Amino acid sequence: MSDFLQFEDVSKHYGAVKAVDHVSLSVKQGEFFSLLGPSGCGKTTLLRILAGFEQPDTGRVLLGGEDVTDLPPYERKVNTIFQSYALFPHLSVWDNIAFGLKVAKRPKKEIQSEVEAMLALIQMEDQAWKKPDQISGGQKQRVAIARALVNKPRVLLLDEPLAALDLKLRQRMLIELDLIHDEVGITFLYVTHDQGEAMSLSDRIAVMQAGKIEQLGTPAEIYEAPRSSFVAAFIGDTNFFDGVVAEPLEKHTVLDGFLSVAVDRDYSRLKIEDFPDLECFNDKQIRQGEHVFLSIRPEKFRISREKPEGRPHLNILEGGVEDVIYLGSQTKYWVRVGDYRISVIRQHSRYLLDEKPIRWNERVWLSWHADDGFMLEKYSEQDEALLQPPPEEVGETSEPGAGAS
Amino acid sequence: MKAGARTRLAEWLVTLPSFVWLGVLFLVPTVLVFAITFKPATPFGGIGEGWTLDTLRTLGNPNYPAILWRTIRLSMLATGGCILLATPMAYYMARAGAAWRRWLLLLVVLPFWTSSLVRIFAWKVLLHPEGMLKQALVWLGLAGPDAMLLYNENAVLLVMVYTELPFAILPIYAAAEKFDFRLIEAAKDLGASSFRAFRSVFLPGIRVGLLTAFLMVFIPSLGSYVIPDIVGGPTSEMVGNKIAQRTFVDRNLPHAAGLSAILAVAVLAPLLAIASLRRRESPRDALREEGV
């Protein structure tokens, strides 16, 4: 079960470009699995290798324990939903859906009933005889899904299927895709550059970058515990602080009435220029003296006018509010601390009844628990080109995290 | 309403030159050709007074059905051969890289730089019993020393295909170039073999190009007379040869006009058939506008 679909050490080069670089990956049966990454990260190539449109240079692809690496596309029990839908323009909706069954020479009666069942699933029974250019984008999308699903593929491949739709339709199709996945129980392999789509649909996500898998996990794992600065910045919004790892914390425990002091390897002190020493969760056992990025998500901060009481593992910073954006369900603050403009999101429950709302130019206190900050290796130059720097101006639209927060 | 009337007037004014052109240079001559069929011939190659059905009677020449059938058959075969050769070529050209594609296009139109008469005559040299092609085939053992490559139907067909091929490649290529080749991938993804994808997705996708190619090759082929005249023999005469013979040798214009009329009907029949097919499709187009 656990090794239903496997990529084993798969590589693919285009000239000097490594599109896919020794990727190993396994997908469970029935899983909604996403390949997420910026354009050019190799996610589509990986999908095309599974579909059979590309041959890997090395490695193999196993489907249900069977090696399918050398099979042509038409002999694989996988079907693809293309970004452009690729509906056959000369065929009606009905004939588009029936195409795979006709090619497989299934009996006429069976084709009839299967196609009708699919039309019912996508709720387009009354549009069956229209041609693709007579139906809307969302309907085309649904026909493409039906055309693939009617063949009962073992894996359904979706190549940025929502990219061509407008926002409202995208949100609706997102829900429909989720419902269809629940209904048919087929393994979905979903390729996207939109972290919002991947987050809301997937059981597991593989974040890809430069042909490699950067991190693999559930949406929550990836969002809450990013393993690299690339993942932290690509998935959701975050604040990066440039720091140097200092000594580990001491653990004070009372044992048989005696106070014992031990080195706590889980937490380290972190030195950041102009900041007081911070305490930080050190899950990756980063050694003392290493330069790291401390990543803290905007919603992990607590912002208050009064200085919070000190508690173990609580970090406290003082800063000035530079900008405030009221977003309805939450408010976004930009707080200046030293060289950093820190983005903070605060969910408010009783905005007007609460204490007087924080305004700009006020002195505030930011606090967060050591567990909510992650020390990550600094990202490479290549990553830097892919990621925008934290916005300098209020209202800048290039916020990679808008979809997930 | 007034604005609508003015627009209609403007449309008429714009289309008028084409109508005049078609009327004077196409419709009137065609009617004249049909009319001359019913005029008597004069011994000096002119057209006499009055009306007669004499020509119609002589058109019942027992040789003519065979010649007409041969004309249609050779034209169909040449058209089929051209489309059969042009389709894979156009597919390949559409998939080729931009630079290579330009060279291939140049190669396709290159023959037009030489007079077609010269090119047809060149075939006579090639196919001649002493010619290179014949000698090569004999040397390879593919043809007997007495085999005749020239002056028969096969030679006519071969040269017709050769001459008309660019007229088939160009429209099919124009259609193939616009074809979305991702559809081939989609078909294969749905279980279709390469051939099935080609047949069920590519061919329907370029059907307008195929139709144009059919007309562009079939119609000129029906009227061809230079090719059978040069590389054909007495057993491969086509209607065009007979028309030329009646005009230049027998000086019997009404008879030539009668043959032309028969040929014109042979050309118009497929055109009208296609037009009516198109008309049958048009209600769906009306529905399409509603759907959008």
Side-chain angles (χ1 to χ4, degrees):
Chain A
M1 277 295 262
S2 65
D3 49 4
F4 176 64
L5 165 63
Q6 273 183 298
F7 292 91
E8 279 183 2
D9 193 38
V10 170
S11 292
K12 176 76 186 176
H13 298 232
Y14 295 109
V17 182
K18 286 180 185 171
V20 175
D21 194 6
H22 297 283
V23 166
S24 293
L25 183 65
S26 61
V27 178
K28 298 189 194 85
Q29 188 151 21
E31 198 171 21
F32 199 126
F33 192 95
S34 290
L35 295 171
L36 174 63
S39 56
C41 72
K43 57 192 192 299
T44 298
T45 307
L46 207 55
L47 179 117
R48 291 176 59 83
I49 286 171
L50 176 58
F53 300 133
E54 307 281 352
Q55 279 294 307
D57 299 334
T58 66
R60 31 184 225 151
V61 183
L62 301 170
L63 184 59
E66 182 199 355
D67 188 343
V68 297
T69 319
D70 297 322
L71 286 183
Y74 49 88
E75 283 176 22
R76 299 182 185 210
K77 288 292 290 170
V78 299
N79 287 114
T80 309
I81 291 168
F82 297 87
Q83 188 176 352
S84 59
Y85 316 134
L87 298 180
F88 304 125
H90 62 290
L91 297 179
S92 66
V93 166
W94 204 97
D95 287 320
N96 261 286
I97 297 174
F99 189 90
L101 301 176
K102 280 185 181 167
V103 166
K105 295 203 173 74
R106 299 271 287 276
K108 264 220 171 78
K109 269 207 176 129
E110 212 177 300
I111 294 177
Q112 178 92 20
S113 64
E114 301 257 329
V115 171
E116 263 150 33
M118 272 299 147
L119 283 168
L121 179 75
I122 60 168
Q123 295 168 16
M124 281 185 62
E125 294 104 319
D126 52 339
Q127 322 264 343
W129 299 106
K130 286 194 178 170
K131 292 273 177 73
D133 61 354
Q134 294 169 268
I135 59 177
S136 69
Q139 289 173 328
K140 280 183 202 172
Q141 173 71 73
R142 300 219 292 265
V143 174
I145 292 171
R147 185 179 70 172
L149 284 179
V150 77
N151 305 295
K152 304 219 160 44
R154 308 189 68 176
V155 184
L156 183 69
L157 312 181
L158 302 102
D159 184 11
E160 305 254 8
L162 307 182
L165 303 176
D166 59 61
L167 184 67
K168 266 272 180 305
L169 206 51
R170 197 150 64 217
Q171 288 167 343
R172 247 197 69 188
M173 288 309 300
L174 219 55
I175 297 165
E176 283 190 29
L177 271 179
D178 205 19
L179 291 175
I180 287 171
H181 177 251
D182 289 347
E183 197 154 329
V184 297
I186 290 171
T187 310
F188 278 37
L189 188 68
Y190 192 93
V191 161
T192 182
H193 68 275
D194 184 314
Q195 41 116 359
E197 285 174 21
M199 284 279 184
S200 48
L201 291 171
S202 317
D203 296 318
R204 286 194 302 156
I205 298 174
V207 182
M208 286 188 73
Q209 208 248 128
K212 288 194 157 106
I213 291 177
E214 197 85 0
Q215 187 171 357
L216 198 157
T218 65
E221 277 167 11
I222 284 177
Y223 184 79
E224 299 292 347
R227 273 224 297 274
S228 70
S229 49
F230 173 80
V231 175
F234 190 74
I235 314 281
D237 214 351
T238 194
N239 295 287
F240 283 132
F241 301 92
D242 214 330
V244 180
V245 181
E247 75 284 352
L249 293 190
E250 287 135 17
K251 198 192 273 176
H252 302 267
T253 41
V254 181
L255 202 70
D256 300 332
F258 292 96
L259 182 73
S260 77
V261 179
V263 172
D264 185 352
R265 298 221 164 270
D266 286 344
Y267 293 91
S268 290
R269 251 179 250 291
L270 186 69
K271 286 193 186 299
I272 296 172
E273 221 173 307
D274 298 336
F275 279 25
D277 277 3
L278 302 177
E279 292 181 12
C280 199
F281 186 44
N282 189 359
D283 58 332
K284 297 176 196 67
Q285 306 294 332
I286 298 174
R287 273 173 302 170
Q288 205 169 328
E290 295 264 348
H291 286 262
V292 292
F293 274 139
L294 172 64
S295 158
I296 307 170
R297 304 264 186 213
E299 74 280 7
K300 304 296 183 197
F301 289 105
R302 218 186 92 74
I303 185 168
S304 58
R305 209 177 268 119
E306 284 88 39
K307 184 174 182 176
E309 271 176 54
R311 273 182 284 131
H313 299 321
L314 190 71
N315 296 297
I316 301 171
L317 288 177
E318 193 189 6
V321 177
E322 285 197 335
D323 287 298
V324 182
I325 312 173
Y326 176 69
L327 295 168
S329 64
Q330 57 203 21
T331 302
K332 192 161 190 173
Y333 301 93
W334 296 96
V335 181
R336 168 70 63 183
V337 181
D339 286 343
Y340 294 96
R341 252 171 81 87
I342 303 172
S343 126
V344 176
I345 282 176
R346 184 188 187 190
Q347 202 81 25
H348 31 72
S349 44
R350 301 193 304 166
Y351 185 75
L352 291 172
L353 300 174
D354 264 355
E355 53 173 79
K356 205 174 64 171
I358 295 167
R359 305 254 172 228
W360 55 89
N361 281 333
E362 278 194 63
R363 300 303 295 173
V364 291
W365 296 91
L366 297 180
S367 58
W368 72 96
H369 192 271
D371 286 356
D372 284 332
F374 284 90
M375 293 196 290
L376 306 165
E377 91 297 354
K378 290 192 169 183
Y379 51 68
S380 61
E381 275 172 52
Q382 195 183 3
D383 297 338
E384 223 152 343
L386 291 166
L387 301 167
Q388 297 101 338
E392 277 300 312
E393 298 296 322
V394 177
E396 211 166 282
T397 48
S398 57
E399 277 173 37
S405 46
Chain B
M1 282 300 268
K2 263 191 180 163
R6 202 172 303 152
T7 319
R8 195 153 315 153
L9 183 71
E11 277 174 9
W12 271 104
L13 281 175
V14 168
T15 10
L16 201 62
S18 343
F19 274 126
V20 170
W21 176 277
L22 272 174
V24 172
L25 296 172
F26 176 76
L27 198 63
V28 171
T30 309
V31 172
L32 280 178
V33 165
F34 276 81
I36 289 171
T37 313
F38 301 98
K39 287 282 191 180
T42 67
F44 310 106
I47 300 157
E49 293 287 317
W51 299 93
T52 171
L53 291 176
D54 278 355
T55 309
L56 228 50
R57 248 167 258 135
T58 52
L59 280 174
N61 185 323
N63 292 328
Y64 282 180
I67 291 175
L68 185 66
W69 167 237
R70 183 187 297 132
T71 304
I72 292 172
R73 186 165 46 86
L74 283 180
S75 299
M76 290 296 272
L77 286 172
T79 310
C82 280
I83 289 176
L84 225 57
L85 289 172
T87 308
M89 175 75 181
Y91 179 90
Y92 181 74
M93 278 166 69
R95 301 223 78 171
W100 182 220
R101 187 190 294 190
R102 264 196 296 278
W103 280 108
L104 288 172
L105 262 177
L106 184 71
L107 284 177
V108 172
V109 296
L110 200 60
F112 294 126
W113 295 3
T114 316
S115 154
S116 63
L117 204 60
V118 172
R119 285 184 285 123
I120 294 165
F121 205 83
W123 275 103
K124 194 166 178 161
V125 177
L126 277 174
L127 296 173
H128 195 272
E130 305 293 319
M132 259 167 50
L133 195 66
K134 166 73 188 301
Q135 298 297 325
L137 287 177
V138 172
W139 186 79
L140 286 169
L142 292 172
D146 300 328
M148 195 61 189
L149 298 181
L150 208 50
Y151 307 130
N152 55 33
E153 271 187 19
N154 293 336
V156 174
L157 187 60
L158 175 73
V159 179
M160 275 168 89
V161 169
Y162 160 79
T163 313
E164 310 283 4
L165 190 58
F167 296 103
I169 292 178
L170 292 176
I172 297 177
Y173 163 71
E177 200 215 354
K178 286 192 219 91
F179 180 77
D180 180 1
F181 282 94
R182 286 174 298 190
L183 295 178
I184 300 268
E185 254 180 23
K188 285 188 186 173
D189 186 73
L190 291 166
S193 62
S194 300
F195 177 71
R196 180 70 194 257
F198 183 86
R199 181 165 67 83
S200 301
V201 177
F202 181 69
L203 289 186
I206 59 159
R207 65 193 184 287
V208 176
L210 292 173
L211 196 65
T212 312
F214 173 82
L215 295 175
M216 295 272 280
V217 176
F218 185 66
I219 292 172
S221 293
L222 282 176
S224 59
Y225 94 94
V226 175
I227 294 168
D229 201 51
I230 293 179
V231 298
T235 57
S236 51
E237 267 185 328
M238 291 170 72
V239 175
N241 299 107
K242 279 292 167 209
I243 296 172
Q245 192 188 330
R246 296 299 173 232
T247 312
F248 299 129
V249 182
D250 303 354
R251 317 269 294 152
N252 187 339
L253 276 184
H255 198 105
L259 282 172
S260 299
I262 290 173
L263 202 55
V265 169
V267 174
L268 280 175
L271 267 178
L272 289 175
I274 286 162
S276 75
L277 271 175
R278 282 254 174 96
R279 199 161 310 141
R280 210 170 300 162
E281 263 183 36
S282 61
R284 253 189 259 167
D285 293 334
L287 205 139
R288 175 174 311 168
E289 257 137 53
E290 258 173 60
V292 174

